[in-house]
Amino acid sequence: MTEPLDLTGLQRRLAEFAAARNWQPYHTPKNLAAALSVEASELVEIFQWLTPEESARVMADPSAAPRVTDEVADVLAYLLQFCDVLGIDPLAALDAKIARNERRFPVPGPDDGSAGRERSES
Amino acid sequence: MTEPLDLTGLQRRLAEFAAARNWQPYHTPKNLAAALSVEASELVEIFQWLTPEESARVMADPSAAPRVTDEVADVLAYLLQFCDVLGIDPLAALDAKIARNERRFPVPGPDDGSAGRERSES
Amino acid sequence: MTEPLDLTGLQRRLAEFAAARNWQPYHTPKNLAAALSVEASELVEIFQWLTPEESARVMADPSAAPRVTDEVADVLAYLLQFCDVLGIDPLAALDAKIARNERRFPVPGPDDGSAGRERSES
Amino acid sequence: MTEPLDLTGLQRRLAEFAAARNWQPYHTPKNLAAALSVEASELVEIFQWLTPEESARVMADPSAAPRVTDEVADVLAYLLQFCDVLGIDPLAALDAKIARNERRFPVPGPDDGSAGRERSES
C-alpha cells in the first residue's frame, strides 16, 4: 500500500470503490446516515452485556477485538462517504466543535468541587 | 489555531479536554460506543422524514446545514475517543477494511448486468 | 399456546425466560436500552438501501419479510423487559403521549394549506 | 379516556392522528424504522453516562423519570405505526420468537455451571 493513510486518500478510495460498483445511486445522504447509525449500533452490540470493567478489556478478547476494529472501520467508512457526498470537512467540523465546547464547558478551578461530578455535553 | 488539523492532533485535544474536566471515568469503551451511536442517530433524525432528493439538498437548507456539520463533529469526536481508549488506529482499520472489501466485492466486468443491482456489503 | 396474547402475558414469559437462564444481572435498564436500540438498528439495516417505494413492498419479499417480523419481535421484547425492570406501563405511557400530541399538533382546518407540509413531532 | 388501553386501540388512534395531519406520505416503513431507532437512541442517551447501579435507580430521579416514560411512548408509537403500515401483528411476532428462543436456549440443568455465565441471544 503506497497510498498515504490520510482521511482524504481513504475517502477517495471509498468513492472509487462505490463508483466501480455503480453504488452511487444508493449513497444518498439519508441512506449513508442510516448505514452509519447501523454500524455504530453493531459496535454497541459487542458491548451491550459487558460490565464497564469488561468493556475496558475488550481488546484482550481474541474473538471480540477484530470485530471492534472492523466496526470502527465501518463507522469511519460511512462517515467519510457521508461527508464526501455533502462536501463536509470532518476535521474542520470537529476542530470548530472542540473550540465551541471549550467555551461551553470551562475547566473548573482547583477548589471547584463540581469537577467531574457531572458529564452532560453532547 | 496553529495545531495542524489531523486526526492525532484532534484526538489529543479531545483527551486533554476530557482530562481537564475529570470525565475519564465516564469514558469507558462501552459508554463511548453508546454515545457514538446516539450521535449517529441524531444525524439520522435530521433526515428521517426527507425524501432521497431532499436529503441530497440538505446543505442548502440554512437551518439544517449547521446541525448536520455539528453531528458529524460529534460522531467523529466519539469515534476518536473510543479508538484512543482502546488503542485502535482508525485509519489503519479502514485501510485494511477497504482492502478486504476489494477482494470480497470484485468489480463486475463490462458485460455483467448485475452491476449496481444489488448493494449489500457491510 | 393457551396463554392469551397480551402484553402482560408476554412480559411475564420474557421475565421467566430470563430468570430461568440467570440473565437478570445483565438486564440493567442501561443494557436493555442499548439492546433495544441495537435491535431497532437491525430493523433499519433491512431498509437502508431501499427506495421509499421498495420499502413499502418489503413484506412481499420472501427473504426480507421474516427478518422484519423477527426484528419487530426483538424490539418489542426488549421494550417490554425494559418497562418491566423499571415498573413502567408502556400502554399508559403511550396513551398519555398521544393525548399530549393531540394538544401540541392541532388538526389544521380545511382551508389551512399547511396541512402535511411539515412533519416534525417527536 | 373511555377507549380501552390495548395495542389495537392505540394503533388506531395513532393512525387517525397521522391521517388527520396528512402525515401518511412520510410514514413509509423505511422512515418509520428510522424514527423508531432514533427514539430508541434517545432512550439510550438518558443512560449513556450512568453506572449500571445508577441506571437501576433512574425512575427515582425526578428529572430523568418522565423523559424515560416519554421515550418508551415514542418507541412504542413508532413500532405500532411500523407494524400497522406493514400489516404485522407485533404480539404474534413476539409470541413466535419466545417459542423459538425457548428451543434455542434450553434452560441449563441444576449442575450445569455455565448458567448465567454467558448471555448471547439476540
Side-chain angles (χ1 to χ4, degrees), chain C residues 19-81:
Chain C
R21 285 150 189 83
N22 293 335
W23 284 351
Q24 301 110 318
Y26 299 92
H27 286 196
T28 63
K30 179 178 173 120
N31 287 1
L32 290 168
L36 170 64
S37 82
V38 166
E39 298 301 335
S41 283
E42 293 184 2
L43 197 59
V44 170
E45 191 181 15
I46 300 172
F47 294 94
Q48 66 187 351
W49 307 120
L50 302 187
T51 64
E53 296 73 27
E54 289 167 343
S55 94
R57 296 189 302 266
V58 73
M59 298 310 282
D61 174 343
S63 80
R67 292 172 60 209
V68 171
T69 307
D70 204 54
E71 297 303 342
V72 162
D74 286 335
V75 168
L76 184 56
Y78 284 122
L79 183 65
L80 291 182
Q81 292 178 91

Short mmCIF file of all heavy atoms in Angstrom, two decimals, chain C residues 19-81:
data_model
loop_
_atom_site.label_atom_id
_atom_site.label_comp_id
_atom_site.label_asym_id
_atom_site.label_seq_id
_atom_site.Cartn_x
_atom_site.Cartn_y
_atom_site.Cartn_z
N ALA C 19 -35.13 -15.28 33.87
CA ALA C 19 -34.84 -15.79 35.22
C ALA C 19 -34.32 -17.22 35.15
O ALA C 19 -33.37 -17.58 35.86
CB ALA C 19 -36.10 -15.72 36.09
N ALA C 20 -34.92 -18.05 34.28
CA ALA C 20 -34.51 -19.45 34.19
C ALA C 20 -33.08 -19.60 33.71
O ALA C 20 -32.43 -20.62 33.95
CB ALA C 20 -35.45 -20.20 33.24
N ARG C 21 -32.57 -18.58 33.02
CA ARG C 21 -31.20 -18.62 32.50
C ARG C 21 -30.25 -17.74 33.30
O ARG C 21 -29.11 -17.51 32.89
CB ARG C 21 -31.22 -18.19 31.02
CG ARG C 21 -31.79 -19.29 30.10
CD ARG C 21 -32.48 -18.76 28.89
NE ARG C 21 -33.17 -19.84 28.18
CZ ARG C 21 -34.41 -20.28 28.54
NH1 ARG C 21 -35.05 -19.72 29.55
NH2 ARG C 21 -34.97 -21.27 27.87
N ASN C 22 -30.73 -17.24 34.43
CA ASN C 22 -29.90 -16.36 35.28
C ASN C 22 -29.39 -15.14 34.53
O ASN C 22 -28.25 -14.72 34.71
CB ASN C 22 -28.71 -17.13 35.87
CG ASN C 22 -29.16 -18.19 36.85
OD1 ASN C 22 -30.24 -18.08 37.44
ND2 ASN C 22 -28.36 -19.23 37.02
N TRP C 23 -30.21 -14.58 33.67
CA TRP C 23 -29.79 -13.43 32.90
C TRP C 23 -30.13 -12.09 33.57
O TRP C 23 -29.77 -11.03 33.03
CB TRP C 23 -30.43 -13.46 31.49
CG TRP C 23 -29.79 -14.44 30.57
CD1 TRP C 23 -28.63 -15.15 30.76
CD2 TRP C 23 -30.25 -14.82 29.26
NE1 TRP C 23 -28.36 -15.95 29.68
CE2 TRP C 23 -29.33 -15.77 28.74
CE3 TRP C 23 -31.35 -14.46 28.48
CZ2 TRP C 23 -29.48 -16.35 27.48
CZ3 TRP C 23 -31.49 -15.04 27.23
CH2 TRP C 23 -30.57 -15.97 26.74
N GLN C 24 -30.84 -12.13 34.69
CA GLN C 24 -31.25 -10.85 35.29
C GLN C 24 -30.09 -9.89 35.56
O GLN C 24 -30.25 -8.68 35.38
CB GLN C 24 -32.04 -11.05 36.59
CG GLN C 24 -33.29 -11.88 36.43
CD GLN C 24 -33.11 -13.22 37.09
OE1 GLN C 24 -32.05 -13.84 36.97
NE2 GLN C 24 -34.14 -13.68 37.78
N PRO C 25 -28.90 -10.40 36.01
CA PRO C 25 -27.83 -9.43 36.28
C PRO C 25 -27.44 -8.62 35.05
O PRO C 25 -26.96 -7.49 35.16
CB PRO C 25 -26.65 -10.31 36.73
CG PRO C 25 -27.28 -11.59 37.20
CD PRO C 25 -28.52 -11.77 36.36
N TYR C 26 -27.63 -9.19 33.86
CA TYR C 26 -27.32 -8.47 32.63
C TYR C 26 -28.40 -7.46 32.27
O TYR C 26 -28.16 -6.53 31.51
CB TYR C 26 -27.18 -9.46 31.46
CG TYR C 26 -26.10 -10.48 31.64
CD1 TYR C 26 -26.34 -11.71 32.22
CD2 TYR C 26 -24.80 -10.19 31.23
CE1 TYR C 26 -25.33 -12.65 32.37
CE2 TYR C 26 -23.79 -11.12 31.37
CZ TYR C 26 -24.06 -12.35 31.95
OH TYR C 26 -23.06 -13.26 32.10
N HIS C 27 -29.59 -7.65 32.82
CA HIS C 27 -30.73 -6.85 32.38
C HIS C 27 -30.90 -5.57 33.19
O HIS C 27 -31.98 -5.29 33.71
CB HIS C 27 -31.99 -7.72 32.39
CG HIS C 27 -32.03 -8.70 31.25
ND1 HIS C 27 -33.16 -9.36 30.86
CD2 HIS C 27 -31.07 -9.10 30.38
CE1 HIS C 27 -32.90 -10.15 29.83
NE2 HIS C 27 -31.63 -10.02 29.53
N THR C 28 -29.83 -4.79 33.28
CA THR C 28 -29.96 -3.45 33.83
C THR C 28 -30.73 -2.60 32.83
O THR C 28 -30.73 -2.88 31.62
CB THR C 28 -28.58 -2.80 34.04
OG1 THR C 28 -27.95 -2.67 32.76
CG2 THR C 28 -27.70 -3.65 34.95
N PRO C 29 -31.39 -1.54 33.30
CA PRO C 29 -32.08 -0.64 32.35
C PRO C 29 -31.13 -0.12 31.28
O PRO C 29 -31.50 -0.02 30.11
CB PRO C 29 -32.59 0.48 33.26
CG PRO C 29 -32.73 -0.14 34.61
CD PRO C 29 -31.64 -1.16 34.72
N LYS C 30 -29.91 0.19 31.68
CA LYS C 30 -28.93 0.70 30.70
C LYS C 30 -28.66 -0.32 29.60
O LYS C 30 -28.66 0.01 28.41
CB LYS C 30 -27.64 1.05 31.44
CG LYS C 30 -26.50 1.56 30.56
CD LYS C 30 -25.29 1.91 31.42
CE LYS C 30 -24.09 2.27 30.56
NZ LYS C 30 -23.61 3.63 30.83
N ASN C 31 -28.44 -1.58 29.99
CA ASN C 31 -28.15 -2.62 28.99
C ASN C 31 -29.38 -2.91 28.13
O ASN C 31 -29.25 -3.14 26.91
CB ASN C 31 -27.69 -3.91 29.68
CG ASN C 31 -26.29 -3.79 30.24
OD1 ASN C 31 -25.64 -2.76 30.13
ND2 ASN C 31 -25.81 -4.86 30.88
N LEU C 32 -30.55 -2.92 28.73
CA LEU C 32 -31.76 -3.21 27.95
C LEU C 32 -32.06 -2.08 26.97
O LEU C 32 -32.52 -2.34 25.85
CB LEU C 32 -32.95 -3.46 28.89
CG LEU C 32 -32.87 -4.78 29.69
CD1 LEU C 32 -33.93 -4.79 30.79
CD2 LEU C 32 -33.05 -6.00 28.77
N ALA C 33 -31.80 -0.85 27.36
CA ALA C 33 -31.99 0.27 26.43
C ALA C 33 -31.02 0.14 25.25
O ALA C 33 -31.40 0.35 24.09
CB ALA C 33 -31.79 1.61 27.14
N ALA C 34 -29.77 -0.24 25.54
CA ALA C 34 -28.80 -0.44 24.46
C ALA C 34 -29.25 -1.58 23.53
O ALA C 34 -29.20 -1.45 22.30
CB ALA C 34 -27.42 -0.74 25.04
N ALA C 35 -29.70 -2.69 24.13
CA ALA C 35 -30.13 -3.83 23.31
C ALA C 35 -31.34 -3.45 22.46
O ALA C 35 -31.44 -3.85 21.29
CB ALA C 35 -30.48 -5.01 24.23
N LEU C 36 -32.25 -2.66 23.02
CA LEU C 36 -33.40 -2.17 22.26
C LEU C 36 -32.95 -1.37 21.05
O LEU C 36 -33.44 -1.55 19.92
CB LEU C 36 -34.27 -1.31 23.19
CG LEU C 36 -35.40 -0.51 22.56
CD1 LEU C 36 -36.46 -1.42 21.96
CD2 LEU C 36 -36.05 0.40 23.61
N SER C 37 -31.98 -0.49 21.26
CA SER C 37 -31.54 0.35 20.14
C SER C 37 -30.77 -0.48 19.11
O SER C 37 -30.84 -0.20 17.90
CB SER C 37 -30.69 1.52 20.65
OG SER C 37 -29.35 1.14 20.87
N VAL C 38 -30.07 -1.50 19.56
CA VAL C 38 -29.38 -2.39 18.60
C VAL C 38 -30.39 -3.12 17.73
O VAL C 38 -30.23 -3.22 16.50
CB VAL C 38 -28.47 -3.39 19.36
CG1 VAL C 38 -28.00 -4.52 18.45
CG2 VAL C 38 -27.26 -2.66 19.96
N GLU C 39 -31.47 -3.61 18.32
CA GLU C 39 -32.49 -4.32 17.54
C GLU C 39 -33.20 -3.36 16.59
O GLU C 39 -33.52 -3.72 15.45
CB GLU C 39 -33.49 -5.01 18.46
CG GLU C 39 -32.89 -6.08 19.36
CD GLU C 39 -32.19 -7.21 18.60
OE1 GLU C 39 -32.55 -7.44 17.43
OE2 GLU C 39 -31.30 -7.85 19.17
N ALA C 40 -33.47 -2.13 17.05
CA ALA C 40 -34.09 -1.15 16.17
C ALA C 40 -33.20 -0.88 14.96
O ALA C 40 -33.68 -0.71 13.83
CB ALA C 40 -34.39 0.14 16.94
N SER C 41 -31.89 -0.86 15.19
CA SER C 41 -30.96 -0.64 14.07
C SER C 41 -30.92 -1.83 13.13
O SER C 41 -30.68 -1.66 11.93
CB SER C 41 -29.56 -0.35 14.60
OG SER C 41 -29.50 0.97 15.09
N GLU C 42 -31.12 -3.01 13.67
CA GLU C 42 -31.17 -4.18 12.77
C GLU C 42 -32.41 -4.10 11.87
O GLU C 42 -32.38 -4.57 10.73
CB GLU C 42 -31.13 -5.49 13.59
CG GLU C 42 -29.77 -5.65 14.26
CD GLU C 42 -29.58 -6.96 15.02
OE1 GLU C 42 -30.50 -7.80 15.01
OE2 GLU C 42 -28.51 -7.12 15.64
N LEU C 43 -33.46 -3.49 12.36
CA LEU C 43 -34.63 -3.24 11.52
C LEU C 43 -34.28 -2.20 10.44
O LEU C 43 -34.61 -2.38 9.25
CB LEU C 43 -35.78 -2.73 12.40
CG LEU C 43 -37.19 -2.77 11.83
CD1 LEU C 43 -37.60 -4.18 11.46
CD2 LEU C 43 -38.18 -2.21 12.86
N VAL C 44 -33.62 -1.13 10.83
CA VAL C 44 -33.20 -0.11 9.87
C VAL C 44 -32.32 -0.72 8.78
O VAL C 44 -32.44 -0.38 7.59
CB VAL C 44 -32.44 1.04 10.59
CG1 VAL C 44 -31.80 1.99 9.58
CG2 VAL C 44 -33.38 1.80 11.51
N GLU C 45 -31.44 -1.64 9.20
CA GLU C 45 -30.49 -2.24 8.24
C GLU C 45 -31.22 -2.88 7.06
O GLU C 45 -30.74 -2.83 5.92
CB GLU C 45 -29.63 -3.27 8.97
CG GLU C 45 -28.44 -3.74 8.12
CD GLU C 45 -27.61 -4.78 8.85
OE1 GLU C 45 -28.08 -5.35 9.86
OE2 GLU C 45 -26.48 -5.05 8.38
N ILE C 46 -32.36 -3.50 7.33
CA ILE C 46 -33.12 -4.15 6.25
C ILE C 46 -33.55 -3.14 5.18
O ILE C 46 -33.63 -3.45 4.01
CB ILE C 46 -34.36 -4.87 6.84
CG1 ILE C 46 -33.92 -5.93 7.87
CG2 ILE C 46 -35.22 -5.50 5.74
CD1 ILE C 46 -35.08 -6.56 8.64
N PHE C 47 -33.78 -1.90 5.63
CA PHE C 47 -34.32 -0.86 4.74
C PHE C 47 -33.27 0.10 4.20
O PHE C 47 -33.61 0.94 3.36
CB PHE C 47 -35.37 -0.03 5.50
CG PHE C 47 -36.60 -0.81 5.88
CD1 PHE C 47 -36.72 -1.42 7.11
CD2 PHE C 47 -37.63 -0.97 4.96
CE1 PHE C 47 -37.85 -2.16 7.44
CE2 PHE C 47 -38.77 -1.70 5.28
CZ PHE C 47 -38.88 -2.31 6.53
N GLN C 48 -32.02 -0.02 4.65
CA GLN C 48 -31.11 1.11 4.45
C GLN C 48 -30.83 1.46 2.98
O GLN C 48 -30.60 2.61 2.67
CB GLN C 48 -29.82 0.95 5.26
CG GLN C 48 -28.95 -0.21 4.84
CD GLN C 48 -27.78 -0.40 5.82
OE1 GLN C 48 -27.53 0.41 6.69
NE2 GLN C 48 -27.04 -1.48 5.66
N TRP C 49 -30.84 0.48 2.10
CA TRP C 49 -30.56 0.80 0.69
C TRP C 49 -31.83 0.78 -0.17
O TRP C 49 -31.76 0.92 -1.39
CB TRP C 49 -29.53 -0.17 0.10
CG TRP C 49 -28.28 -0.27 0.89
CD1 TRP C 49 -27.77 -1.40 1.47
CD2 TRP C 49 -27.38 0.80 1.23
NE1 TRP C 49 -26.61 -1.09 2.15
CE2 TRP C 49 -26.35 0.24 2.01
CE3 TRP C 49 -27.34 2.17 0.95
CZ2 TRP C 49 -25.29 1.00 2.53
CZ3 TRP C 49 -26.30 2.93 1.46
CH2 TRP C 49 -25.30 2.34 2.23
N LEU C 50 -32.98 0.60 0.44
CA LEU C 50 -34.23 0.55 -0.33
C LEU C 50 -34.76 1.96 -0.63
O LEU C 50 -34.60 2.88 0.17
CB LEU C 50 -35.30 -0.23 0.44
CG LEU C 50 -35.00 -1.68 0.83
CD1 LEU C 50 -36.24 -2.33 1.42
CD2 LEU C 50 -34.48 -2.48 -0.35
N THR C 51 -35.41 2.10 -1.77
CA THR C 51 -36.15 3.34 -2.04
C THR C 51 -37.41 3.33 -1.17
O THR C 51 -37.81 2.28 -0.66
CB THR C 51 -36.57 3.42 -3.51
OG1 THR C 51 -37.47 2.34 -3.78
CG2 THR C 51 -35.37 3.32 -4.46
N PRO C 52 -38.05 4.50 -1.02
CA PRO C 52 -39.32 4.52 -0.27
C PRO C 52 -40.32 3.52 -0.83
O PRO C 52 -41.00 2.83 -0.06
CB PRO C 52 -39.81 5.97 -0.45
CG PRO C 52 -38.59 6.77 -0.77
CD PRO C 52 -37.64 5.85 -1.48
N GLU C 53 -40.36 3.41 -2.17
CA GLU C 53 -41.33 2.51 -2.81
C GLU C 53 -40.98 1.05 -2.50
O GLU C 53 -41.86 0.24 -2.20
CB GLU C 53 -41.35 2.75 -4.32
CG GLU C 53 -41.82 4.15 -4.73
CD GLU C 53 -40.77 5.24 -4.44
OE1 GLU C 53 -39.55 4.92 -4.42
OE2 GLU C 53 -41.17 6.41 -4.22
N GLU C 54 -39.70 0.71 -2.62
CA GLU C 54 -39.31 -0.66 -2.30
C GLU C 54 -39.61 -0.98 -0.83
O GLU C 54 -40.00 -2.11 -0.51
CB GLU C 54 -37.81 -0.85 -2.55
CG GLU C 54 -37.43 -0.87 -4.03
CD GLU C 54 -35.92 -0.73 -4.25
OE1 GLU C 54 -35.20 -0.31 -3.32
OE2 GLU C 54 -35.47 -1.01 -5.38
N SER C 55 -39.41 0.01 0.04
CA SER C 55 -39.63 -0.25 1.46
C SER C 55 -41.11 -0.57 1.73
O SER C 55 -41.43 -1.38 2.60
CB SER C 55 -39.15 0.93 2.32
OG SER C 55 -40.16 1.86 2.62
N ALA C 56 -42.01 0.02 0.94
CA ALA C 56 -43.44 -0.24 1.13
C ALA C 56 -43.83 -1.66 0.71
O ALA C 56 -44.86 -2.17 1.13
CB ALA C 56 -44.27 0.78 0.35
N ARG C 57 -42.99 -2.28 -0.12
CA ARG C 57 -43.29 -3.64 -0.60
C ARG C 57 -42.46 -4.71 0.11
O ARG C 57 -42.40 -5.85 -0.35
CB ARG C 57 -42.99 -3.73 -2.11
CG ARG C 57 -43.85 -2.85 -3.00
CD ARG C 57 -43.64 -3.18 -4.48
NE ARG C 57 -42.27 -3.04 -4.92
CZ ARG C 57 -41.75 -1.95 -5.50
NH1 ARG C 57 -42.52 -0.90 -5.71
NH2 ARG C 57 -40.48 -1.91 -5.85
N VAL C 58 -41.84 -4.37 1.22
CA VAL C 58 -40.86 -5.28 1.82
C VAL C 58 -41.47 -6.62 2.24
O VAL C 58 -40.79 -7.65 2.16
CB VAL C 58 -40.15 -4.59 3.01
CG1 VAL C 58 -41.07 -4.46 4.21
CG2 VAL C 58 -38.86 -5.30 3.39
N MET C 59 -42.75 -6.63 2.64
CA MET C 59 -43.33 -7.88 3.11
C MET C 59 -43.65 -8.84 1.95
O MET C 59 -43.96 -10.00 2.18
CB MET C 59 -44.57 -7.63 3.96
CG MET C 59 -44.29 -6.83 5.22
SD MET C 59 -42.91 -7.45 6.25
CE MET C 59 -43.72 -8.84 7.06
N ALA C 60 -43.55 -8.35 0.71
CA ALA C 60 -43.72 -9.23 -0.44
C ALA C 60 -42.41 -9.91 -0.82
O ALA C 60 -42.39 -10.76 -1.72
CB ALA C 60 -44.25 -8.42 -1.64
N ASP C 61 -41.32 -9.54 -0.15
CA ASP C 61 -40.02 -10.15 -0.43
C ASP C 61 -39.83 -11.31 0.56
O ASP C 61 -39.64 -11.10 1.76
CB ASP C 61 -38.93 -9.08 -0.25
CG ASP C 61 -37.52 -9.64 -0.38
OD1 ASP C 61 -37.33 -10.87 -0.30
OD2 ASP C 61 -36.59 -8.83 -0.55
N PRO C 62 -39.85 -12.56 0.05
CA PRO C 62 -39.82 -13.70 0.97
C PRO C 62 -38.53 -13.82 1.77
O PRO C 62 -38.52 -14.49 2.79
CB PRO C 62 -40.01 -14.92 0.04
CG PRO C 62 -39.75 -14.43 -1.34
CD PRO C 62 -39.96 -12.95 -1.36
N SER C 63 -37.45 -13.15 1.33
CA SER C 63 -36.24 -13.23 2.16
C SER C 63 -36.25 -12.14 3.23
O SER C 63 -35.70 -12.32 4.32
CB SER C 63 -34.98 -13.15 1.30
OG SER C 63 -34.68 -11.82 0.95
N ALA C 64 -36.88 -11.01 2.93
CA ALA C 64 -36.87 -9.90 3.90
C ALA C 64 -37.99 -10.01 4.93
O ALA C 64 -37.80 -9.66 6.11
CB ALA C 64 -36.97 -8.56 3.17
N ALA C 65 -39.17 -10.50 4.51
CA ALA C 65 -40.35 -10.45 5.39
C ALA C 65 -40.12 -11.10 6.75
O ALA C 65 -40.42 -10.49 7.79
CB ALA C 65 -41.56 -11.06 4.67
N PRO C 66 -39.59 -12.34 6.80
CA PRO C 66 -39.41 -12.93 8.13
C PRO C 66 -38.37 -12.20 8.98
O PRO C 66 -38.49 -12.19 10.21
CB PRO C 66 -38.97 -14.37 7.83
CG PRO C 66 -38.58 -14.40 6.39
CD PRO C 66 -39.27 -13.27 5.71
N ARG C 67 -37.39 -11.58 8.32
CA ARG C 67 -36.41 -10.79 9.10
C ARG C 67 -37.10 -9.57 9.73
O ARG C 67 -36.82 -9.22 10.89
CB ARG C 67 -35.27 -10.30 8.21
CG ARG C 67 -34.36 -11.43 7.70
CD ARG C 67 -33.37 -10.90 6.65
NE ARG C 67 -32.50 -9.87 7.17
CZ ARG C 67 -31.96 -8.89 6.44
NH1 ARG C 67 -32.19 -8.82 5.14
NH2 ARG C 67 -31.19 -7.98 7.00
N VAL C 68 -38.00 -8.94 8.97
CA VAL C 68 -38.71 -7.78 9.51
C VAL C 68 -39.53 -8.19 10.73
O VAL C 68 -39.46 -7.55 11.80
CB VAL C 68 -39.62 -7.15 8.43
CG1 VAL C 68 -40.52 -6.08 9.02
CG2 VAL C 68 -38.78 -6.57 7.29
N THR C 69 -40.29 -9.26 10.59
CA THR C 69 -41.13 -9.72 11.70
C THR C 69 -40.28 -10.08 12.91
O THR C 69 -40.63 -9.79 14.06
CB THR C 69 -41.96 -10.94 11.24
OG1 THR C 69 -42.66 -10.60 10.05
CG2 THR C 69 -42.96 -11.35 12.30
N ASP C 70 -39.14 -10.71 12.64
CA ASP C 70 -38.25 -11.11 13.72
C ASP C 70 -37.68 -9.90 14.47
O ASP C 70 -37.59 -9.91 15.70
CB ASP C 70 -37.11 -11.93 13.09
CG ASP C 70 -36.47 -12.86 14.08
OD1 ASP C 70 -37.20 -13.64 14.71
OD2 ASP C 70 -35.23 -12.80 14.23
N GLU C 71 -37.32 -8.87 13.73
CA GLU C 71 -36.76 -7.69 14.39
C GLU C 71 -37.85 -6.94 15.17
O GLU C 71 -37.59 -6.37 16.23
CB GLU C 71 -36.09 -6.75 13.38
CG GLU C 71 -34.88 -7.34 12.67
CD GLU C 71 -33.77 -7.83 13.61
OE1 GLU C 71 -33.76 -7.43 14.79
OE2 GLU C 71 -32.95 -8.64 13.17
N VAL C 72 -39.07 -6.93 14.65
CA VAL C 72 -40.19 -6.35 15.41
C VAL C 72 -40.32 -7.06 16.75
O VAL C 72 -40.48 -6.42 17.80
CB VAL C 72 -41.50 -6.46 14.60
CG1 VAL C 72 -42.73 -6.28 15.50
CG2 VAL C 72 -41.52 -5.42 13.47
N ALA C 73 -40.24 -8.40 16.72
CA ALA C 73 -40.34 -9.17 17.96
C ALA C 73 -39.21 -8.80 18.93
O ALA C 73 -39.44 -8.64 20.13
CB ALA C 73 -40.30 -10.66 17.64
N ASP C 74 -38.00 -8.64 18.40
CA ASP C 74 -36.86 -8.31 19.27
C ASP C 74 -37.02 -6.93 19.89
O ASP C 74 -36.72 -6.73 21.07
CB ASP C 74 -35.56 -8.37 18.45
CG ASP C 74 -35.11 -9.79 18.16
OD1 ASP C 74 -35.50 -10.70 18.91
OD2 ASP C 74 -34.39 -9.98 17.17
N VAL C 75 -37.45 -5.96 19.08
CA VAL C 75 -37.65 -4.61 19.62
C VAL C 75 -38.71 -4.65 20.73
O VAL C 75 -38.51 -4.11 21.83
CB VAL C 75 -38.07 -3.63 18.50
CG1 VAL C 75 -38.56 -2.30 19.09
CG2 VAL C 75 -36.92 -3.39 17.54
N LEU C 76 -39.82 -5.31 20.46
CA LEU C 76 -40.89 -5.38 21.46
C LEU C 76 -40.42 -6.13 22.71
O LEU C 76 -40.72 -5.72 23.84
CB LEU C 76 -42.13 -6.05 20.86
CG LEU C 76 -43.36 -6.10 21.77
CD1 LEU C 76 -43.77 -4.72 22.28
CD2 LEU C 76 -44.54 -6.78 21.05
N ALA C 77 -39.65 -7.19 22.52
CA ALA C 77 -39.15 -7.97 23.67
C ALA C 77 -38.31 -7.09 24.60
O ALA C 77 -38.49 -7.09 25.82
CB ALA C 77 -38.34 -9.16 23.18
N TYR C 78 -37.37 -6.33 24.02
CA TYR C 78 -36.53 -5.51 24.89
C TYR C 78 -37.31 -4.34 25.47
O TYR C 78 -37.05 -3.92 26.60
CB TYR C 78 -35.27 -5.05 24.14
CG TYR C 78 -34.27 -6.17 24.01
CD1 TYR C 78 -33.81 -6.59 22.78
CD2 TYR C 78 -33.80 -6.83 25.15
CE1 TYR C 78 -32.90 -7.63 22.66
CE2 TYR C 78 -32.89 -7.88 25.04
CZ TYR C 78 -32.44 -8.27 23.80
OH TYR C 78 -31.55 -9.30 23.70
N LEU C 79 -38.25 -3.80 24.72
CA LEU C 79 -39.06 -2.71 25.26
C LEU C 79 -39.86 -3.21 26.47
O LEU C 79 -39.91 -2.53 27.51
CB LEU C 79 -40.01 -2.16 24.18
CG LEU C 79 -40.87 -0.97 24.61
CD1 LEU C 79 -40.01 0.24 24.91
CD2 LEU C 79 -41.90 -0.62 23.53
N LEU C 80 -40.45 -4.39 26.35
CA LEU C 80 -41.24 -4.93 27.47
C LEU C 80 -40.36 -5.26 28.67
O LEU C 80 -40.74 -5.03 29.83
CB LEU C 80 -42.01 -6.17 27.02
CG LEU C 80 -43.14 -5.92 26.03
CD1 LEU C 80 -43.86 -7.23 25.69
CD2 LEU C 80 -44.14 -4.89 26.54
N GLN C 81 -39.17 -5.80 28.42
CA GLN C 81 -38.28 -6.12 29.54
C GLN C 81 -37.77 -4.84 30.20
O GLN C 81 -37.66 -4.77 31.43
CB GLN C 81 -37.11 -6.99 29.04
CG GLN C 81 -37.58 -8.37 28.62
CD GLN C 81 -36.44 -9.22 28.07
OE1 GLN C 81 -35.78 -9.96 28.79
NE2 GLN C 81 -36.20 -9.11 26.77
#
